[in-house]
Amino acid sequence: MVADMSKKAKKNQVWGGRLEGNPDEANLRFCAGRDVTSLPMADKELLGWDVWTNLAHTKMLCECGVLSKDEYRQIYEAFEKLDLDSFDLDPAKEDVHINLEHYLVHTCGIEAGKKIHSGRSRNDQVATDMRLYLRWEILYLSASVINLALSILERAQDLTEAVMPGFTHYQPAMPTSAAHWLTAWSQGLLRDLQAMNKDYELINRSPLGSAAGFGTSWPINRERTAELLGFDQVEENTLDAISSRGEAETRIAGSIGVLMNRLSQISQDLILWSHPFYGIAKISDQFVTGSSIMPQKRNPDFAELIRAKAAQASGTLVALMGIQKGAMSGYNRDSQQSKYLIMDLFREVKDAPVVLTGVIETLTLNQGRMEELAKKDFLNAADWADWLAQEFKLSFRDCYEILSLAVKYSAQTGDVMSLKGLEQAIQESGFEGRIQLDQKQVDRLNNPKELLKTKTHSGAPSPDSVQKMIKHQRAKLAELDANWTQLTHQFDARMAFALEALKPD
Ligand code: ARG
């Protein structure tokens, strides 16, 4: 089935004749983006959540004696037969809340539908719907970030000896290993997951029952609706629960912004690694895209889109921050806009970790080329200075000076440190006699694999240190994964409880 779809996908492209593998369907969709897809109404996205909010509120009203059992039954049955997919929102009725009230009263002819707004307002209703929506989206996004971190760690496992150049200012800097580089990515992703967990915890509270922001004289039970909606607790102060609309959105946009900056950086790394001038990596044929005019092209479009989506995430964060800041405490219609911002953001970013996971799983690394690059351009100059200082009990700065000259003289004959260049530098610096070198030492320090082995402290690129890091990160990821499983089980259990508890007596 998957293979068939890919074949079809390949046929749909004008490019790709030079490629061996078939293009990845999800990547093609990701890259085509909104060029060819339309957006659903924001409140249509909330429809299911709003039905749940309505049921929780009316069930509670029934338990508190505001609605009769029969009235609740009619409402429950009307919602039960509502087909979420085919239910069209009438723009004349402003939003999902009024559309659903209208559905009960006019479509289903239920008189009690006129009572469902007792003790609540659209202000707390939409704030509640949004928390339900966000809770769900965070779980989905976290799962794909867990998978991405896992795939990175899997690849890192076999690359601890794969020496490659490390860069500062985009310039060759010091030798490192591919595994050290990859575990830098995954270490950041673990923090992103922790941040999203914290967001989830802060979001998982119920604003329902705050009404317009100032409570209600109806005999409501907020703890009960919180329970029926699977929240951890109520967001107690009713004015805060309404005035803080948009805060949950801002928090998660912040976490997504940081996550997307990371994915953007990973993307930029992949763009450069796979550039023919670097030749370090090859992105699989499944994940490159072609050109409608240049048949030879293998473009990393997914990575470019991730970079741009990271920019969009920052913009969303700034917009969300701005919406809330100036508004007087209480409900303000400004907050409606936060709905579009956060929904657009989730839509734009949710597939980024999924596509990157596929790219990383299928990435080919050219270890020969990586080692070749790590051997030239004097990436070992700082290591040489460190070694001289430690071996001959000299100051780092003196040795730095020696190495500056050694690079200069060695560069006259090639692009690796030469014994002759070193000796000339030592002599010129006045350290002749205090430093004795031989070709064996030069060969050892010119071998980046040997240099890697000397960086043994925690977090450093020696194969042993990176193996330890992989172990630590795997343990942390397992903990985060278990937490995710626990949250989804909790979600399922609370949903199951609600489905049962919401049934009419
Ligand atoms: N559609 C509105 C929103 O998303 C619902 C709340 C409207 N409340 C009001 N008092 N006008 O914010």
Side-chain angles (χ1 to χ4, degrees), residues 42-43 46 94-98 121-127 130 212 245 331-340:
D43 274 20
L46 291 185
E94 279 193 290
D95 53 29
V96 66
H97 323 296
I98 302 299
S121 145
R122 282 184 291 169
N123 300 354
D124 58 338
Q125 213 180 335
V126 65
M130 283 308 293
R245 167 106 183 265
Y331 176 82
N332 298 277
R333 196 68 180 263
D334 313 36
S335 58
Q336 180 170 292
Q337 213 66 19
S338 66
K339 222 163 34 179
Y340 316 145

Side-chain angles (χ1 to χ4, degrees), residues 41 57 65 104 153 159 195 258 290 309 312 402 417 438 487 489:
M41 290 177 178
H57 180 68
L104 288 180
L153 286 172
L159 294 167
V258 174
K309 283 168 195 268
Q312 188 172 344
I402 295 170
M417 212 73 78
D438 58 36
L487 285 180
H489 285 166

